Amino acid sequence: MAEKLFSLKDAIGTFVSDDDVVALEGFTHLIPFAAGHEIIRQGVKGLTLVRMTPDIIADQLVAAGCVNRMVFAFTGNSSVGSLYAVRRAVEAGGAGELELEEYSHYGLLARYQAGAAGIPFMPVRSYAGSDLVKINPQLKKVASPFEEDVETYVVPALNPDVAIIHAQRADRQGNIQSWGILGPQQEVAFASKRTIVLVEEIVDDDVIRSDPNRTLIPGFVVDAVVECRYGAHPSFAQGYYDRDNDFYRSWSAISKDPDRLESWIQEWIHDAGDHRGYLSKLGDGFFDRLTPVPRLSTPVNYGSVL
């Protein structure tokens, strides 16, 4: 299998285009902030952003004018506050309005699952009694082919143009290993037409082969793998660095003031130049306080008679 190593700049420039449907996934941790910042630097416009839980990275992309439409299940600053750029865009109306398409968490996951399986829709019985069906015309009822007079809600398959995720490690062929909260990472990678994965480190093939069950996404569905240390900051990467709660708490005040938000994007994204520049602005030793205490899993014996 050919090597799939890209720089972050080249991966975004090659695989993300204006007006794409882009899924940026990562549930609580492994949120691909560095990729979102590079999308902003490259001035990509007209995106439909798909994310199960659009949080600060969505606020930044909307504020930068990259996103026209958002497909999501929950949005907010991780229980810390509001996303004021998203809120202003939703309330703007007219040309500046942000279009929303809302699902439950499982409803959006089911869309990825259907897309990954190559089937047109997925049944989701839990929408019965939900007000979401009043605001989202994509939620439809179908008759059961197995039970008389039984109907169930279904959601349509979703096949994003690009999936962008973050993970702990990969080999040079794009075999991705991850642990901790996995979220919809696997489903979105298989559902999407193109997949970019940022990882904390590129490791030798032997490391991946030594623990094959840890491989969440095989290389044959990955188009680009990018070594991007601390690329999920301010979210966390299990075992590598913890969540930067100070940043999350500070964001609402930044986001609430449009001028301050514009200045933050200019300073921390554009002026930084790239992710290396972003880390340089954070300063030496910044991640010392976020470094977790090691807690190793028990070794697994993959013994064989061969």
Side-chain angles (χ1 to χ4, degrees), residues 25 30-32 164-167 185 197-200 228 231-232 241:
E25 284 299 356
L30 299 174
I31 299 171
I164 305 177
I165 62 176
H166 198 95
Q185 312 285 71
V197 185
L198 283 61
V199 294
E200 291 297 313
C228 190
Y241 47 94

Side-chain angles (χ1 to χ4, degrees), residues 25-261:
E25 284 299 356
F27 197 80
T28 304
H29 77 142
L30 299 174
I31 299 171
F33 273 90
H37 292 172
E38 186 58 32
I39 288 172
I40 292 171
R41 286 189 198 99
Q42 296 193 19
V44 183
K45 303 295 182 185
L47 298 180
T48 293
L49 174 64
V50 186
R51 179 157 165 70
M52 194 168 286
T53 54
D55 50 4
I56 290 175
I57 190 58
D59 214 30
Q60 294 170 355
L61 286 161
V62 169
C66 300
V67 175
N68 293 346
R69 183 167 172 264
M70 199 162 74
V71 179
F72 71 106
F74 163 87
T75 186
N77 182 6
S78 302
S79 301
V80 178
S82 186
L83 301 176
Y84 288 97
V86 169
R87 180 171 179 170
R88 285 190 294 270
V90 171
E91 295 174 347
E97 184 177 12
L98 176 67
E99 182 183 348
L100 300 181
E101 186 176 316
E102 185 176 0
Y103 296 86
S104 64
H105 280 92
Y106 180 64
L108 187 49
L109 175 64
R111 292 200 65 191
Y112 287 147
Q113 289 175 325
I119 56 178
F121 58 82
M122 185 72 76
V124 182
R125 176 163 279 181
S126 59
Y127 279 123
S130 168
D131 283 344
L132 277 176
V133 300
K134 299 176 183 178
I135 63 170
N136 188 344
Q138 294 278 65
L139 305 178
K140 301 183 183 298
K141 274 186 176 180
V142 298
S144 169
F146 303 107
E147 301 171 90
E148 188 175 349
D149 299 326
V150 173
E151 292 186 320
T152 186
Y153 281 98
V154 296
V155 294
L158 179 58
N159 296 102
D161 295 305
V162 191
I164 305 177
I165 62 176
H166 198 95
Q168 281 94 338
R169 67 191 186 198
D171 61 19
R172 302 172 74 88
Q173 291 75 43
N175 294 296
I176 309 300
Q177 293 195 334
S178 190
W179 52 94
I181 301 171
L182 299 178
Q185 312 285 71
Q186 186 179 68
E187 290 84 356
V188 73
F190 275 90
S192 297
K193 300 169 187 174
R194 305 181 293 278
T195 298
I196 301 170
V197 185
L198 283 61
V199 294
E200 291 297 313
E201 58 178 332
I202 300 294
V203 298
D204 291 337
D205 296 358
D206 288 345
V207 175
I208 302 298
R209 291 170 181 160
S210 72
D211 194 1
N213 281 21
R214 195 90 57 191
T215 302
L216 185 69
I217 301 167
F220 66 80
V221 298
V222 174
D223 295 279
V225 60
V226 178
E227 188 172 50
C228 190
R229 185 77 163 140
Y230 301 118
H233 177 265
S235 74
F236 68 104
Q238 189 77 48
Y240 287 75
Y241 47 94
D242 206 352
R243 188 176 188 268
D244 188 350
N245 290 314
D246 290 344
F247 185 95
Y248 278 88
R249 282 191 288 265
S250 72
W251 184 254
S252 288
I254 297 170
S255 176
K256 195 170 187 177
D257 182 338
D259 292 335
R260 187 176 175 187
L261 176 54

Side-chain angles (χ1 to χ4, degrees), residues 234-292:
S235 74
F236 68 104
Q238 189 77 48
Y240 287 75
Y241 47 94
D242 206 352
R243 188 176 188 268
D244 188 350
N245 290 314
D246 290 344
F247 185 95
Y248 278 88
R249 282 191 288 265
S250 72
W251 184 254
S252 288
I254 297 170
S255 176
K256 195 170 187 177
D257 182 338
D259 292 335
R260 187 176 175 187
L261 176 54
E262 183 179 354
S263 296
W264 189 94
I265 290 173
Q266 183 63 46
E267 177 183 357
W268 286 90
I269 298 179
H270 292 297
D271 292 347
D274 56 18
H275 183 62
R276 187 185 299 273
Y278 174 85
L279 295 181
S280 179
K281 285 179 65 63
L282 290 176
D284 293 339
F286 177 85
F287 286 92
D288 291 350
R289 66 185 176 88
L290 300 176
T291 301

